[in-house]
Amino acid sequence: MYKVLIVDDEMIVRIGLKSMIDWNAYEFEIIGESGNGEDAFNKFLTLKPDLVITDIKMPKKDGLWLTRKIKETNKDTQVIVLTCYDEFDYAREALKFQASDYILKAELEEDDLVATLKRIKEKLDREGKKEESHIQVDIKKEELALGRFLSIEKSEEDVIKDFSNLNIPIEGWNYCCFQLDFSISLHEGAYSQEQIKSMILACHELMINKLEEEKWIYLIKPFGNSITCFLAKEKIHERDIKLLFEFIKKSVEQYFNIAVTGVCTDIYSKALVLRAEIDWFYKAIDYLFYCNPGEMITSKVYHPKGKNVRTAFSQEYKKDWIHSIEESDLEKIDEILLKLINELKTNNIPSMDGKLYISHMLGDIIERFEFCLAQDEGEKIYEHPKYSLNTNHMSSLLQIMRDFSKEILERLEVSGTENSVYLIQKVKDYIDEHYQEKITLEDMADYVGLSKYYLSYLFKKEEGTNFVSYINKKRIEKAKEYLRDTNNTVSQIYDLVGFSDQQYFSKTFKKIVGMTVTEYRRNLK
């Protein structure tokens, strides 16, 4: 795709040009627009378009000034001038500055624009092929050298040879590795793959321009949503890196309205010593998953701890999350999720470990509330564990968790009190955990938000037995375990399982088991 910059002080003209044809169909891509010559030239320096389509009369700096500046900077850039009937003198002047063509605004039709673009494309194709082979070879060498430098599997001899071929001193200068990451903004939910690719390439060009302007020696390669660099200079100060990052941060925010995070290693006087410490760089890059927009990680702020997610967290998060969903408490849910994400960050949990932990939690919660997830409504919910694994920043992961919780709440709200299976399961879970305590029907009715009479009805309907009989059966099952596995006396056991009276316990035991406590224990022998 050839890159196009459109310049006109009338927004309606810019919109008309963009929508007149399918630019991609003719191998052109509009990468930016501007309303005056001065701003357009700044964007030209940053975005490096192959074609600029510009009006002549504009505020600040006009199209003639812009054409002259573009050609002085890069004579290969093609310029098309938009003109009116009374501006032919200006058009002729633009052609003197080596503008490629001019188009009359009043007579601009789709066919005319397409014909002009085809001519421009043929010219760009011819000129591009002359240098393409040599440029691609140089880029290939630099990218391979960077890859070998960052790979612990490659030998030092390979690295030394690469640096020699590229005329980079291996020691005696200052060296560091630097990475820019745009994952916090560039995800498919916000942009298409083509848009992401274009913005990364534009940021790549922006980075190269700045490095060359400041006389850095560099190896650079865009990868995914990031740009990785090896940087070298006779002398590098920490302030140099901070200024470089601040420039990129402000530029991408201004031109693309996107955020960036970054990582920079310590500064070393030997390239091979830097390479030996590169493990920190990879861990810090992974830690960017948790970082805020505009944050840059250095060894002063990031110290890998290597804590395991299984030892860092308990099951309380899942229980609290489920309980907050049951109570329809969105504020509490958000508090729990923010605390969970913050603990992942604080404990330096590797991003994939953290995402797996969240994914498993989502799966467990789905299983807990599956009764209310009708197939036609709930299919999307079942995808959330997978979505969580594909996130590239904690903000995206947090949003998935929030959306997931809201969807569960919506399904529960639709289901209402008619979901007797869920309500009775909630009561049974409580009984399982608190059987040794005093449990009344009134207490459970308050717990699930029903009247005691309706709860009694639902319980009998779902379990085939009444509330008190269910509790007694649960307690007797626990008593049998004590009789089998301990030497506790009957008076000790009835208290442990929640009976307040030994006589009532003995009577209930015989009714459920079919024999007395003494007979049951004797039969065990």
Side-chain angles (χ1 to χ4, degrees):
M1 290 286 179
Y2 288 115
K3 298 181 289 186
V4 182
L5 176 65
I6 294 177
V7 188
D8 198 295
D9 60 330
E10 295 182 50
M11 183 181 292
I12 192 68
V13 174
R14 301 199 302 269
I15 293 172
L17 277 170
K18 289 192 293 184
S19 60
M20 182 175 287
I21 62 169
D22 179 0
W23 291 81
N24 289 352
Y26 302 100
E27 297 186 39
F28 286 91
E29 177 183 22
I30 297 173
I31 59 165
E33 57 182 275
S34 180
N36 65 75
E38 184 177 306
D39 178 68
F41 185 63
N42 288 330
K43 288 187 176 177
F44 165 77
L45 293 174
T46 302
L47 303 177
K48 293 188 179 301
D50 303 291
L51 170 62
V52 177
I53 301 177
T54 180
D55 190 15
I56 291 181
K57 291 185 176 180
M58 294 182 295
K60 293 189 177 181
K61 298 294 184 180
D62 62 21
L64 294 181
W65 177 89
L66 177 61
T67 302
R68 178 170 57 81
K69 293 290 288 182
I70 287 172
K71 287 297 181 177
E72 287 175 357
T73 306
N74 186 347
K75 62 182 178 60
D76 294 326
T77 303
Q78 304 300 301
V79 180
I80 296 176
V81 175
L82 298 173
T83 183
C84 299
Y85 283 115
D86 59 350
E87 295 176 344
F88 277 115
D89 289 342
Y90 290 107
R92 281 196 293 270
E93 192 70 16
L95 292 173
K96 288 181 182 178
F97 292 143
Q98 296 181 310
S100 307
D101 207 342
Y102 69 88
I103 299 176
L104 282 171
K105 281 187 179 181
E107 297 181 356
L108 182 57
E109 298 287 344
E110 180 180 332
D111 291 344
D112 296 329
L113 180 58
V114 168
T116 302
L117 289 178
K118 286 181 176 178
R119 288 197 299 273
I120 295 293
K121 182 181 180 301
E122 288 176 2
K123 188 173 183 181
L124 287 169
D125 285 345
R126 287 195 304 271
E127 294 178 353
K129 286 175 183 175
K130 295 175 185 176
E131 299 182 10
E132 183 177 1
S133 176
H134 176 68
I135 292 172
Q136 288 300 321
V137 168
D138 285 347
I139 291 174
K140 186 90 169 171
K141 283 181 180 178
E142 292 180 3
E143 291 186 350
L144 286 172
L146 178 60
R148 281 193 280 261
F149 181 81
L150 295 173
S151 173
I152 58 174
E153 296 177 358
K154 300 300 179 181
S155 66
E156 287 189 0
E157 289 74 16
D158 287 334
V159 173
I160 293 169
K161 183 178 179 181
D162 285 336
F163 275 46
S164 176
N165 290 336
L166 294 167
N167 296 316
I168 301 174
I170 199 72
E171 59 181 66
W173 281 21
N174 284 167
Y175 310 90
C176 65
C177 282
F178 184 64
Q179 175 152 313
L180 300 169
D181 193 277
F182 305 90
S183 298
I184 196 167
S185 293
L186 298 184
H187 49 85
E188 288 192 53
Y191 301 95
S192 68
Q193 280 293 330
E194 283 301 318
Q195 288 174 318
I196 291 173
K197 183 179 178 181
S198 296
M199 280 191 272
I200 292 292
L201 290 176
C203 293
H204 180 241
E205 291 291 331
L206 177 70
M207 185 74 174
I208 288 176
N209 286 342
K210 186 65 175 175
L211 293 172
E212 291 184 346
E213 178 186 314
E214 297 184 355
K215 312 299 183 187
W216 291 82
I217 300 298
Y218 62 87
L219 302 173
I220 187 169
K221 178 178 173 59
F223 183 78
N225 290 347
S226 63
I227 299 171
T228 305
C229 316
F230 165 85
L231 302 177
K233 246 185 181 182
E234 288 191 60
K235 192 67 179 174
I236 301 175
H237 299 281
E238 288 183 15
R239 185 170 177 272
D240 298 329
I241 301 296
K242 289 180 181 178
L243 289 174
L244 178 63
F245 181 69
E246 286 300 316
F247 169 79
I248 299 296
K249 183 169 71 172
K250 290 178 181 178
S251 297
V252 299
E253 183 177 354
Q254 177 185 352
Y255 291 122
F256 307 113
N257 194 30
I258 59 176
V260 61
T261 53
V263 169
C264 189
T265 65
D266 285 334
I267 299 165
Y268 295 87
S269 59
K270 294 182 180 181
L272 293 178
V273 175
L274 165 60
R275 185 171 185 254
E277 301 295 327
I278 212 68
D279 183 59
W280 177 92
F281 186 54
Y282 287 122
K283 289 179 180 177
I285 288 170
D286 182 75
Y287 188 70
L288 286 176
F289 179 82
Y290 300 109
C291 291
N292 298 316
E295 193 173 348
M296 187 173 78
I297 300 300
T298 66
S299 62
K300 290 182 178 179
V301 297
Y302 173 66
H303 311 283
K305 298 176 184 176
K307 200 164 186 179
N308 188 295
V309 69
R310 292 181 180 178
T311 60
F313 295 93
S314 69
Q315 289 296 311
E316 292 306 310
Y317 276 110
K318 184 172 70 176
K319 289 181 180 179
D320 290 345
W321 192 355
I322 288 173
H323 190 60
S324 298
I325 291 174
E326 290 173 341
E327 294 184 336
S328 299
D329 192 338
L330 274 172
E331 188 174 328
K332 182 66 174 177
I333 290 171
D334 209 48
E335 180 184 320
I336 291 166
L337 299 185
L338 287 170
K339 186 179 178 183
L340 173 55
I341 289 290
N342 187 59
E343 281 218 41
L344 289 170
K345 179 178 181 178
T346 302
N347 285 282
N348 293 343
I349 302 299
S351 62
M352 183 50 70
D353 288 355
K355 289 188 286 187
L356 280 168
Y357 176 70
I358 298 298
S359 178
H360 290 153
M361 285 182 70
L362 293 174
D364 290 343
I365 293 171
I366 285 172
E367 186 176 345
R368 181 73 171 84
F369 295 103
E370 194 165 17
F371 67 89
C372 72
L373 306 178
Q375 196 65 21
D376 57 336
E377 297 281 355
E379 285 185 349
K380 184 181 177 184
I381 292 177
Y382 290 93
E383 296 296 317
H384 280 82
K386 181 177 72 176
Y387 296 156
S388 66
L389 293 175
N390 294 331
T391 55
N392 50 26
H393 191 263
M394 71 171 182
S395 58
S396 301
L397 181 59
L398 181 59
Q399 191 58 52
I400 284 174
M401 294 159 73
R402 285 169 169 161
D403 292 343
F404 171 82
S405 300
K406 288 177 182 177
E407 288 181 41
I408 295 285
L409 286 174
E410 288 171 5
R411 297 304 305 136
L412 284 172
E413 186 177 351
V414 170
S415 301
T417 57
E418 293 180 5
N419 277 305
S420 55
V421 174
Y422 163 70
L423 293 171
I424 299 308
Q425 184 61 50
K426 186 176 178 181
V427 171
K428 288 163 61 179
D429 288 348
Y430 185 92
I431 292 170
D432 286 347
E433 293 184 17
H434 303 275
Y435 64 88
Q436 72 277 22
E437 301 170 10
K438 182 182 178 181
I439 304 173
T440 67
L441 182 62
E442 288 81 1
D443 291 338
M444 289 296 92
D446 288 341
Y447 180 60
V448 296
L450 299 175
S451 72
K452 67 177 182 178
Y453 304 106
Y454 190 58
L455 175 59
S456 178
Y457 162 77
L458 287 181
F459 202 98
K460 182 69 179 290
K461 177 185 174 184
E462 293 298 329
E463 295 301 313
T465 187
N466 63 41
F467 178 76
V468 173
S469 296
Y470 182 88
I471 293 177
N472 284 341
K473 186 176 180 181
K474 175 64 64 176
R475 288 170 171 167
I476 294 302
E477 288 300 316
K478 293 294 180 180
K480 287 164 66 177
E481 291 178 16
Y482 279 112
L483 289 166
R484 285 196 306 267
D485 303 332
T486 73
N487 293 319
N488 290 341
T489 65
V490 174
S491 60
Q492 290 174 324
I493 291 172
Y494 85 78
D495 186 61
L496 286 171
V497 297
F499 283 92
S500 58
D501 181 85
Q502 183 173 343
Q503 186 178 354
Y504 181 63
F505 165 67
S506 299
K507 182 179 178 181
T508 304
F509 189 97
K510 184 174 182 181
K511 181 180 178 181
I512 293 174
V513 181
M515 62 181 76
T516 65
V517 176
T518 304
E519 290 171 340
Y520 182 82
R521 177 165 265 178
R522 187 166 54 239
N523 287 342
L524 290 174
K525 295 179 181 179

